[in-house]
Amino acid sequence: MITAEVKLKEKDAEMILKVISKLGGKVKVISSESSKESPVKKKFKADLEEAFHEIKLHQEGKIKLKTARELLDEL
């Protein structure tokens, strides 16, 4: 049996670990960087990723973002 240490991006890790398990391999996650993050940091990261996604959709012409005036009017 071979033991290997593999570093993966979190978004790819779940799929690859499932494949290894289905092939009969044993999988043990040693550490996960996201588990070290505080809940506040995780939420900030998720919000930031969502904002960048919305910007990308706006640039592609798929959505229309609010103007600064519209945001100020909401306050």
Side-chain angles (χ1 to χ4, degrees):
M1 180 176 279
I2 296 174
T3 301
E5 180 179 332
V6 180
K7 294 182 180 182
L8 303 167
K9 292 181 181 178
E10 194 163 329
K11 66 179 183 177
D12 301 328
E14 186 177 339
M15 179 191 65
I16 292 171
L17 294 175
K18 284 181 183 179
V19 170
I20 292 170
S21 293
K22 289 197 185 244
L23 292 173
K26 293 183 180 179
V27 175
K28 178 181 176 184
V29 176
I30 297 170
S31 68
S32 174
E33 290 180 17
S34 67
S35 64
K36 296 177 187 177
E37 294 176 350
S38 70
V40 173
K41 189 173 181 180
K42 286 181 185 179
K43 177 158 178 21
F44 178 76
K45 185 176 176 182
D47 290 346
L48 193 58
E49 287 174 351
E50 182 182 348
F52 282 121
H53 181 69
E54 288 179 2
I55 291 169
K56 182 179 177 186
L57 291 175
H58 174 70
Q59 289 173 337
E60 293 172 352
K62 295 181 179 177
I63 64 170
K64 184 177 184 304
L65 297 177
K66 295 179 182 179
T67 64
R69 175 58 56 200
E70 291 170 334
L71 289 173
L72 289 172
D73 289 343
E74 287 182 10
L75 297 175

mmCIF file of all heavy atoms in Angstrom, residues 19-46:
data_model
loop_
_atom_site.group_PDB
_atom_site.id
_atom_site.type_symbol
_atom_site.label_atom_id
_atom_site.label_comp_id
_atom_site.label_asym_id
_atom_site.label_seq_id
_atom_site.Cartn_x
_atom_site.Cartn_y
_atom_site.Cartn_z
ATOM 1 N N VAL A 19 -13.499 10.192 -5.205
ATOM 2 C CA VAL A 19 -12.998 9.254 -6.213
ATOM 3 C C VAL A 19 -12.036 8.257 -5.567
ATOM 4 O O VAL A 19 -12.132 7.046 -5.808
ATOM 5 C CB VAL A 19 -12.308 10.007 -7.375
ATOM 6 C CG1 VAL A 19 -11.565 9.046 -8.291
ATOM 7 C CG2 VAL A 19 -13.321 10.818 -8.162
ATOM 8 N N ILE A 20 -11.129 8.739 -4.747
ATOM 9 C CA ILE A 20 -10.171 7.858 -4.077
ATOM 10 C C ILE A 20 -10.909 6.853 -3.202
ATOM 11 O O ILE A 20 -10.581 5.661 -3.193
ATOM 12 C CB ILE A 20 -9.153 8.673 -3.252
ATOM 13 C CG1 ILE A 20 -8.244 9.475 -4.191
ATOM 14 C CG2 ILE A 20 -8.316 7.760 -2.362
ATOM 15 C CD1 ILE A 20 -7.375 10.490 -3.494
ATOM 16 N N SER A 21 -11.908 7.309 -2.482
ATOM 17 C CA SER A 21 -12.692 6.414 -1.625
ATOM 18 C C SER A 21 -13.405 5.350 -2.444
ATOM 19 O O SER A 21 -13.434 4.179 -2.063
ATOM 20 C CB SER A 21 -13.713 7.210 -0.815
ATOM 21 O OG SER A 21 -13.059 8.041 0.104
ATOM 22 N N LYS A 22 -14.000 5.743 -3.569
ATOM 23 C CA LYS A 22 -14.727 4.783 -4.410
ATOM 24 C C LYS A 22 -13.788 3.755 -5.033
ATOM 25 O O LYS A 22 -14.202 2.648 -5.336
ATOM 26 C CB LYS A 22 -15.512 5.514 -5.488
ATOM 27 C CG LYS A 22 -16.694 6.264 -4.918
ATOM 28 C CD LYS A 22 -17.681 6.619 -5.981
ATOM 29 C CE LYS A 22 -18.765 7.463 -5.345
ATOM 30 N NZ LYS A 22 -20.040 6.838 -5.367
ATOM 31 N N LEU A 23 -12.530 4.121 -5.216
ATOM 32 C CA LEU A 23 -11.549 3.186 -5.759
ATOM 33 C C LEU A 23 -10.996 2.253 -4.685
ATOM 34 O O LEU A 23 -10.142 1.417 -4.958
ATOM 35 C CB LEU A 23 -10.402 3.946 -6.438
ATOM 36 C CG LEU A 23 -10.768 4.699 -7.707
ATOM 37 C CD1 LEU A 23 -9.594 5.538 -8.180
ATOM 38 C CD2 LEU A 23 -11.193 3.725 -8.805
ATOM 39 N N GLY A 24 -11.473 2.406 -3.468
ATOM 40 C CA GLY A 24 -11.046 1.527 -2.379
ATOM 41 C C GLY A 24 -9.929 2.086 -1.530
ATOM 42 O O GLY A 24 -9.431 1.404 -0.637
ATOM 43 N N GLY A 25 -9.538 3.307 -1.785
ATOM 44 C CA GLY A 25 -8.481 3.919 -0.990
ATOM 45 C C GLY A 25 -9.028 4.470 0.312
ATOM 46 O O GLY A 25 -10.218 4.719 0.457
ATOM 47 N N LYS A 26 -8.156 4.608 1.275
ATOM 48 C CA LYS A 26 -8.540 5.205 2.551
ATOM 49 C C LYS A 26 -8.140 6.672 2.515
ATOM 50 O O LYS A 26 -7.039 7.014 2.108
ATOM 51 C CB LYS A 26 -7.843 4.506 3.713
ATOM 52 C CG LYS A 26 -8.306 3.082 3.913
ATOM 53 C CD LYS A 26 -7.642 2.460 5.113
ATOM 54 C CE LYS A 26 -8.119 1.028 5.290
ATOM 55 N NZ LYS A 26 -7.480 0.394 6.441
ATOM 56 N N VAL A 27 -9.036 7.525 2.961
ATOM 57 C CA VAL A 27 -8.808 8.963 2.927
ATOM 58 C C VAL A 27 -8.848 9.505 4.341
ATOM 59 O O VAL A 27 -9.749 9.197 5.111
ATOM 60 C CB VAL A 27 -9.889 9.672 2.074
ATOM 61 C CG1 VAL A 27 -9.722 11.167 2.133
ATOM 62 C CG2 VAL A 27 -9.849 9.168 0.645
ATOM 63 N N LYS A 28 -7.838 10.292 4.678
ATOM 64 C CA LYS A 28 -7.794 10.955 5.981
ATOM 65 C C LYS A 28 -7.372 12.392 5.739
ATOM 66 O O LYS A 28 -6.282 12.659 5.227
ATOM 67 C CB LYS A 28 -6.790 10.259 6.897
ATOM 68 C CG LYS A 28 -6.654 10.913 8.251
ATOM 69 C CD LYS A 28 -5.619 10.185 9.103
ATOM 70 C CE LYS A 28 -5.411 10.899 10.412
ATOM 71 N NZ LYS A 28 -4.359 10.284 11.201
ATOM 72 N N VAL A 29 -8.240 13.329 6.094
ATOM 73 C CA VAL A 29 -7.921 14.748 5.928
ATOM 74 C C VAL A 29 -7.094 15.157 7.145
ATOM 75 O O VAL A 29 -7.551 15.059 8.285
ATOM 76 C CB VAL A 29 -9.196 15.600 5.810
ATOM 77 C CG1 VAL A 29 -8.841 17.078 5.731
ATOM 78 C CG2 VAL A 29 -10.005 15.168 4.595
ATOM 79 N N ILE A 30 -5.874 15.603 6.900
ATOM 80 C CA ILE A 30 -4.969 15.971 7.984
ATOM 81 C C ILE A 30 -5.284 17.362 8.497
ATOM 82 O O ILE A 30 -5.372 17.593 9.690
ATOM 83 C CB ILE A 30 -3.497 15.882 7.514
ATOM 84 C CG1 ILE A 30 -3.172 14.433 7.154
ATOM 85 C CG2 ILE A 30 -2.559 16.391 8.587
ATOM 86 C CD1 ILE A 30 -1.856 14.258 6.460
ATOM 87 N N SER A 31 -5.465 18.300 7.600
ATOM 88 C CA SER A 31 -5.805 19.658 8.016
ATOM 89 C C SER A 31 -6.548 20.345 6.889
ATOM 90 O O SER A 31 -6.397 20.012 5.729
ATOM 91 C CB SER A 31 -4.557 20.464 8.375
ATOM 92 O OG SER A 31 -3.786 20.704 7.228
ATOM 93 N N SER A 32 -7.343 21.280 7.290
ATOM 94 C CA SER A 32 -8.080 22.070 6.324
ATOM 95 C C SER A 32 -7.922 23.522 6.720
ATOM 96 O O SER A 32 -8.221 23.887 7.853
ATOM 97 C CB SER A 32 -9.559 21.675 6.329
ATOM 98 O OG SER A 32 -10.290 22.523 5.494
ATOM 99 N N GLU A 33 -7.439 24.347 5.796
ATOM 100 C CA GLU A 33 -7.208 25.757 6.113
ATOM 101 C C GLU A 33 -8.488 26.458 6.508
ATOM 102 O O GLU A 33 -8.497 27.323 7.362
ATOM 103 C CB GLU A 33 -6.573 26.469 4.920
ATOM 104 C CG GLU A 33 -5.144 26.046 4.667
ATOM 105 C CD GLU A 33 -4.539 26.757 3.481
ATOM 106 O OE1 GLU A 33 -5.083 27.792 3.056
ATOM 107 O OE2 GLU A 33 -3.514 26.292 2.987
ATOM 108 N N SER A 34 -9.610 26.064 5.886
ATOM 109 C CA SER A 34 -10.862 26.743 6.197
ATOM 110 C C SER A 34 -11.329 26.446 7.617
ATOM 111 O O SER A 34 -12.028 27.252 8.215
ATOM 112 C CB SER A 34 -11.940 26.360 5.194
ATOM 113 O OG SER A 34 -12.275 24.993 5.342
ATOM 114 N N SER A 35 -10.944 25.299 8.177
ATOM 115 C CA SER A 35 -11.361 24.993 9.544
ATOM 116 C C SER A 35 -10.633 25.881 10.551
ATOM 117 O O SER A 35 -11.079 26.037 11.675
ATOM 118 C CB SER A 35 -11.115 23.519 9.862
ATOM 119 O OG SER A 35 -9.733 23.234 9.819
ATOM 120 N N LYS A 36 -9.522 26.464 10.144
ATOM 121 C CA LYS A 36 -8.756 27.347 11.021
ATOM 122 C C LYS A 36 -9.311 28.773 11.015
ATOM 123 O O LYS A 36 -8.978 29.566 11.867
ATOM 124 C CB LYS A 36 -7.286 27.384 10.578
ATOM 125 C CG LYS A 36 -6.580 26.053 10.703
ATOM 126 C CD LYS A 36 -5.168 26.143 10.179
ATOM 127 C CE LYS A 36 -4.509 24.778 10.144
ATOM 128 N NZ LYS A 36 -3.177 24.828 9.568
ATOM 129 N N GLU A 37 -10.161 29.080 10.040
ATOM 130 C CA GLU A 37 -10.700 30.430 9.919
ATOM 131 C C GLU A 37 -11.857 30.637 10.895
ATOM 132 O O GLU A 37 -12.649 29.738 11.138
ATOM 133 C CB GLU A 37 -11.196 30.664 8.495
ATOM 134 C CG GLU A 37 -10.104 30.656 7.455
ATOM 135 C CD GLU A 37 -10.653 30.805 6.046
ATOM 136 O OE1 GLU A 37 -11.869 30.735 5.849
ATOM 137 O OE2 GLU A 37 -9.836 30.991 5.137
ATOM 138 N N SER A 38 -11.936 31.834 11.411
ATOM 139 C CA SER A 38 -13.041 32.169 12.307
ATOM 140 C C SER A 38 -14.324 32.301 11.492
ATOM 141 O O SER A 38 -14.280 32.536 10.286
ATOM 142 C CB SER A 38 -12.745 33.479 13.031
ATOM 143 O OG SER A 38 -12.803 34.560 12.125
ATOM 144 N N PRO A 39 -15.480 32.162 12.145
ATOM 145 C CA PRO A 39 -16.748 32.316 11.428
ATOM 146 C C PRO A 39 -16.889 33.681 10.757
ATOM 147 O O PRO A 39 -17.443 33.783 9.665
ATOM 148 C CB PRO A 39 -17.799 32.136 12.522
ATOM 149 C CG PRO A 39 -17.126 31.336 13.579
ATOM 150 C CD PRO A 39 -15.683 31.722 13.518
ATOM 151 N N VAL A 40 -16.376 34.712 11.398
ATOM 152 C CA VAL A 40 -16.442 36.062 10.813
ATOM 153 C C VAL A 40 -15.619 36.115 9.526
ATOM 154 O O VAL A 40 -16.063 36.666 8.512
ATOM 155 C CB VAL A 40 -15.949 37.119 11.827
ATOM 156 C CG1 VAL A 40 -15.846 38.487 11.185
ATOM 157 C CG2 VAL A 40 -16.859 37.157 13.040
ATOM 158 N N LYS A 41 -14.436 35.516 9.564
ATOM 159 C CA LYS A 41 -13.571 35.512 8.389
ATOM 160 C C LYS A 41 -14.196 34.689 7.257
ATOM 161 O O LYS A 41 -14.137 35.079 6.096
ATOM 162 C CB LYS A 41 -12.204 34.941 8.753
ATOM 163 C CG LYS A 41 -11.169 35.088 7.672
ATOM 164 C CD LYS A 41 -9.800 34.668 8.153
ATOM 165 C CE LYS A 41 -8.758 34.828 7.074
ATOM 166 N NZ LYS A 41 -7.426 34.426 7.520
ATOM 167 N N LYS A 42 -14.836 33.558 7.598
ATOM 168 C CA LYS A 42 -15.499 32.740 6.591
ATOM 169 C C LYS A 42 -16.634 33.511 5.923
ATOM 170 O O LYS A 42 -16.803 33.462 4.714
ATOM 171 C CB LYS A 42 -16.058 31.461 7.222
ATOM 172 C CG LYS A 42 -15.009 30.435 7.558
ATOM 173 C CD LYS A 42 -15.657 29.204 8.156
ATOM 174 C CE LYS A 42 -14.634 28.208 8.619
ATOM 175 N NZ LYS A 42 -15.258 27.019 9.221
ATOM 176 N N LYS A 43 -17.430 34.237 6.736
ATOM 177 C CA LYS A 43 -18.555 35.004 6.189
ATOM 178 C C LYS A 43 -18.041 36.125 5.291
ATOM 179 O O LYS A 43 -18.575 36.359 4.208
ATOM 180 C CB LYS A 43 -19.416 35.585 7.302
ATOM 181 C CG LYS A 43 -20.557 36.442 6.768
ATOM 182 C CD LYS A 43 -21.678 36.593 7.720
ATOM 183 C CE LYS A 43 -22.804 37.478 7.260
ATOM 184 N NZ LYS A 43 -22.988 37.732 5.870
ATOM 185 N N PHE A 44 -16.989 36.818 5.740
ATOM 186 C CA PHE A 44 -16.406 37.892 4.941
ATOM 187 C C PHE A 44 -15.922 37.350 3.601
ATOM 188 O O PHE A 44 -16.172 37.944 2.545
ATOM 189 C CB PHE A 44 -15.252 38.556 5.702
ATOM 190 C CG PHE A 44 -14.568 39.641 4.921
ATOM 191 C CD1 PHE A 44 -15.151 40.883 4.774
ATOM 192 C CD2 PHE A 44 -13.348 39.405 4.309
ATOM 193 C CE1 PHE A 44 -14.533 41.884 4.039
ATOM 194 C CE2 PHE A 44 -12.716 40.390 3.575
ATOM 195 C CZ PHE A 44 -13.314 41.641 3.439
ATOM 196 N N LYS A 45 -15.254 36.205 3.638
ATOM 197 C CA LYS A 45 -14.732 35.594 2.418
ATOM 198 C C LYS A 45 -15.882 35.213 1.475
ATOM 199 O O LYS A 45 -15.815 35.474 0.274
ATOM 200 C CB LYS A 45 -13.910 34.362 2.775
ATOM 201 C CG LYS A 45 -13.219 33.721 1.613
ATOM 202 C CD LYS A 45 -12.356 32.561 2.078
ATOM 203 C CE LYS A 45 -11.713 31.839 0.928
ATOM 204 N NZ LYS A 45 -10.920 30.700 1.362
ATOM 205 N N ALA A 46 -16.943 34.632 2.019
ATOM 206 C CA ALA A 46 -18.089 34.242 1.200
ATOM 207 C C ALA A 46 -18.768 35.473 0.593
ATOM 208 O O ALA A 46 -19.141 35.466 -0.587
ATOM 209 C CB ALA A 46 -19.084 33.443 2.030
#
